[in-house]
């Protein structure tokens, strides 16, 4: 959706456009901050089952969580590497059964403190339909997940003590990269800002992001969140746009053969800690 400002011709048959307006984030936007103490950790793209999954880094992260005061863990998709996502993927898998991949992931979640609420949304490597919006991961794959795990859709708007976090795996970034000046996989900020300016998570139709037809558009950004949390590109990035904190949370997978071909260097084993009282963020490196 865009707005157009201009003038009509004398006969009223032509409209001369002078300015274009995007929905954008209002300049008056004042992000909500929790009155109670609380910390949330934002991560994504774990890729359990891949031979490049960083098991030792994850163990350090899990040990840190056990000693921390974190209340929430948000995982924005690609929990497992999946099966048949790309050609010859089976050659890069240590776990070649999709059920076993999720069983291993569930065991990793059970090893984390039960006091932490874990909110999990799917990505394009997970066992749901490719078209967005994606449904939550089905119960047949989450049977061994602990009770403190909450399965949500992709995208999902999550409220933590009143702080609204828009979770979106971020597949539309593959389309944004060719359309937004200055955007690259190394610099995801312009693309996340582009989503907010358009108030839509996947505004380009018919390219690499499959979008399911529906009577309601669940990819619209409304209401304005305090945080936009994405993943997918495996490169960490943080910026602020008109009071909305934009976080791309990186990955827990080392560089893959495909990334090497594309000259993409990931920034793995990072976790973003969000203070819900101040909305200040801290990046921890477990590599």
């Amino acid at each position: 959706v865009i707005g157009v400002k201009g003038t009509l011709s004398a006969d009223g048959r032509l409209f001369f456009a002078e300015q274009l307006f995007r929905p954008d984030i209002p300049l008056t936007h004042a992000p909500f901050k929790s009155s109670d103490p609380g910390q949330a950790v934002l991560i994504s793209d774990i890729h359990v089952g891949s031979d490049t999954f960083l098991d030792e880094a994850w163990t350090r992260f899990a040990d840190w969580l056990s000693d921390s005061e974190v209340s929430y863990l948000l995982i924005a998709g690609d929990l497992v590497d999946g099966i048949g996502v790309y050609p010859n993927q089976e050659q890069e898998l240590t776990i070649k059964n999709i059920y076993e991949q999720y069983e291993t992931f569930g065991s990793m979640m059970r090893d984390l403190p039960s006091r932490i609420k874990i909110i999990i949304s799917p990505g394009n490597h997970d066992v749901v339909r490719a078209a967005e919006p994606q449904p939550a991961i089905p119960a047949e794959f989450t049977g061994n997940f602990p009770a403190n795990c909450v399965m949500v859709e992709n995208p999902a708007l999550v409220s933590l003590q009143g702080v609204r976090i828009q979770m979106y795996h971020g597949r539309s970034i593959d389309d944004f990269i060719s359309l937004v000046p200055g955007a690259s996989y190394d610099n995801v900020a312009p693309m996340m800002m582009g989503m907010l300016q358009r108030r839509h998570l996947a505004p380009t139709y018919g390219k690499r992001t499959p979008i399911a037809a529906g009577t309601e558009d669940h990819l619209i950004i409304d209401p304005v969140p305090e945080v936009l949390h994405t993943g997918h590109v495996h490169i960490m990035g943080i910026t602020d746009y008109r009071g909305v904190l934009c976080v791309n949370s990186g990955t827990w997978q080392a560089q893959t053969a495909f990334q090497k071909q594309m000259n993409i260097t990931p920034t793995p084993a990072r976790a973003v800690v969000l203070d819900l009282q101040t909305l200040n963020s801290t990046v921890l490196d477990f590599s």
Side-chain angles (χ1 to χ4, degrees):
V1 175
I2 58 170
V4 184
K5 181 180 179 180
T7 55
L8 283 169
S9 61
D11 61 5
R13 297 177 62 188
L14 292 177
F15 183 80
F16 299 99
E18 296 169 358
Q19 282 182 283
L20 297 179
F21 299 92
R22 293 193 175 108
D24 221 321
I25 305 300
L27 291 170
T28 55
H29 171 61
F32 176 86
K33 298 178 182 179
S34 174
S35 57
D36 299 317
Q39 289 184 332
V41 172
L42 312 182
I43 63 171
S44 64
D45 296 88
I46 300 173
H47 289 274
V48 171
S50 167
D51 61 6
T52 49
F53 167 62
L54 298 171
D55 185 65
E56 292 183 5
W58 180 268
T59 299
R60 287 191 287 272
F61 172 60
D63 290 344
W64 172 82
L65 274 180
S66 298
D67 297 330
S68 73
E69 297 180 356
V70 167
S71 304
Y72 310 96
L73 174 63
L74 276 62
I75 308 175
D78 283 2
L79 319 180
V80 301
D81 207 49
I83 307 289
V85 179
Y86 55 87
N88 302 316
Q89 183 184 13
E90 66 278 1
Q91 298 175 14
E92 300 174 16
L93 294 175
T94 57
I95 304 174
K96 300 187 179 183
N97 180 291
I98 190 67
Y99 290 95
E100 291 178 9
Q101 288 184 8
Y102 281 103
E103 284 176 12
T104 301
F105 177 84
S107 299
M108 290 161 53
M109 296 300 103
R110 288 203 310 273
D111 289 340
L112 301 180
S114 59
R115 59 178 168 77
I116 298 177
K117 181 76 73 175
I118 305 174
I119 298 142
I120 299 171
S121 63
N124 59 298
H125 279 250
D126 286 301
V127 64
V128 292
R129 73 180 188 191
E132 296 179 354
Q134 294 177 299
I137 295 171
E140 64 179 292
F141 295 94
T142 63
N144 75 328
F145 288 21
N148 57 316
C149 285
V150 178
M151 312 307 297
V152 298
E153 299 82 6
N154 172 46
L157 184 66
V158 176
S159 177
L160 306 180
Q161 300 175 194
V163 175
R164 291 168 298 193
I165 300 178
Q166 178 69 69
M167 297 176 67
Y168 174 56
H169 180 62
R171 190 168 184 183
S172 69
I173 292 172
D174 293 332
D175 293 332
F176 267 106
I177 198 166
S178 63
L179 301 171
V180 177
S184 69
Y185 287 119
D186 292 328
N187 182 19
V188 75
M191 295 181 276
M192 298 184 74
M193 291 164 56
M195 295 178 192
L196 294 171
Q197 289 164 349
R198 293 160 179 81
R199 295 292 292 276
H200 202 282
L201 295 166
T204 301
Y205 187 80
K207 290 187 177 289
R208 296 178 64 181
T209 307
I211 299 173
T215 55
E216 183 179 349
D217 190 345
H218 294 280
L219 298 169
I220 291 172
I221 302 174
D222 185 40
V224 177
E226 277 67 53
V227 181
L228 174 60
H229 174 206
T230 64
H232 187 59
V233 299
H234 291 206
I235 297 175
M236 160 140 282
I238 298 180
T239 191
D240 183 278
Y241 180 70
R242 294 192 178 183
V244 179
L245 179 66
C246 302
V247 176
N248 190 291
S249 49
T251 184
W252 294 85
Q253 184 182 32
Q255 188 181 45
T256 64
F258 173 76
Q259 289 171 336
K260 194 171 291 185
Q261 290 174 0
M262 300 296 292
N263 198 30
I264 296 172
T265 304
T267 53
R270 273 32 167 217
V272 179
V273 183
L274 176 68
D275 188 307
L276 298 176
Q277 280 188 305
T278 64
L279 299 186
N280 291 334
S281 61
T282 306
V283 179
L284 302 180
D285 185 350
F286 294 93
S287 61

